[in-house]
Amino acid sequence: MSERAEETARPASRSAWLLDACAATMERALGMRFAEEVTAGTIGDAAYADYLAIEESFVETAARLHGLAVWDAPDRTALERNARAVHALTTEQADYFRTARAAWPVPARPDAAGRAAVLSEFALAAAREGGYRAVMTVLFAAESLYSTWCTRADERGDVPAGPIADWVSLHAGAEFRAGVTALAAQVDALPADIPDEHLIRWFSGMLEAEIAFHDAVYR
């Protein structure tokens, strides 16, 4: 076990411990250029066009991950939580992308999604390695990041009206926060025999992939 894991090995809850153990990586992710520019209202049209393409691609991956979690769910509560997530990703969020792309003044570059494949690649590799346990961990990382930065942007920022503000509001709202809480509960319920190093690797690795994913809109 790493020294950092030893220092925080007895948390009030495993999800809280994981957030604490990976706090430095989370702070770097919260400071990524994309989040800062959306918050400040300085994001460019071309960058957000690319973002629409890369995020729509990852939403499909997230739906597959939640679908795997439905299959491997340890109980009915977990099954229902993940089924609701699949529904939201394939309806509400899919509708957002269709509307936003139609309204956006410029198209994404043709290679946008390919340049940002790192996030799906990491998440799917983790799922193949750790199954339900890894899926809950990487999704908890991703959705904790989004809930935090979008809430900050919604409350304190100068987010541009229209599709960008709609996207931020979606991730700052009560329904999305409830989803993050549900993921935390699922992490808390994971078997105690999962090594802490595995959870840290999946959680922090997902945050690192998120940083690279969002930076891809500037390449």
Side-chain angles (χ1 to χ4, degrees), residues 1-135:
M1 183 183 295
S2 67
E3 182 178 348
R4 179 60 173 157
E6 288 178 345
E7 290 174 358
T8 57
R10 299 278 72 85
S13 70
R14 208 163 194 192
S15 59
W17 162 78
L18 195 50
L19 287 166
D20 183 65
C22 301
T25 310
M26 178 65 82
E27 282 305 310
R28 286 200 299 106
L30 291 169
M32 60 191 176
R33 178 181 172 183
F34 179 83
E36 290 184 340
E37 290 189 357
V38 168
T39 300
T42 59
I43 187 77
D45 287 349
Y48 199 76
D50 278 7
Y51 175 73
L52 288 172
I54 71 173
E55 184 66 15
E56 184 174 24
S57 177
F58 181 72
V59 163
E60 293 178 2
T61 297
R64 295 176 189 277
L65 293 169
H66 279 291
L68 174 63
V70 169
W71 180 262
D72 284 341
D75 53 46
R76 185 174 181 84
T77 298
L79 185 154
E80 291 176 350
R81 285 171 174 168
N82 284 285
R84 285 194 294 270
V86 172
H87 182 265
L89 290 164
T90 56
T91 55
E92 180 182 13
Q93 293 205 20
D95 290 344
Y96 166 82
F97 288 109
R98 281 191 289 271
T99 302
R101 281 189 285 102
W104 205 246
V106 297
R109 289 176 286 178
D111 65 338
R115 284 184 284 110
V118 59
L119 190 60
S120 288
E121 289 171 354
F122 179 85
L124 292 172
R128 293 185 184 101
E129 176 195 6
Y132 175 88
R133 303 171 179 192
V135 169

Side-chain angles (χ1 to χ4, degrees), residues 13 36 47 49 53 58 65 97 108 116 141 143 148 151 165 176 200 215-216 218:
S13 70
E36 290 184 340
F58 181 72
L65 293 169
F97 288 109
E143 297 200 5
T148 303
T151 297
F176 190 81
I200 289 175
D215 285 351
Y218 303 107

Side-chain angles (χ1 to χ4, degrees), residues 143-201:
E143 297 200 5
S144 295
L145 169 63
Y146 255 71
S147 178
T148 303
W149 85 258
C150 286
T151 297
R152 291 177 180 178
D154 191 54
E155 293 177 350
R156 313 173 199 169
D158 189 20
V159 181
I164 300 178
D166 292 344
W167 187 243
V168 169
S169 295
L170 178 66
H171 293 86
E175 187 172 351
F176 190 81
R177 290 198 303 272
V180 177
T181 299
L183 280 167
Q186 290 174 88
V187 169
D188 292 341
L190 292 177
D193 63 354
I194 305 174
D196 291 340
E197 291 91 338
H198 289 192
L199 296 181
I200 289 175
R201 177 163 50 82

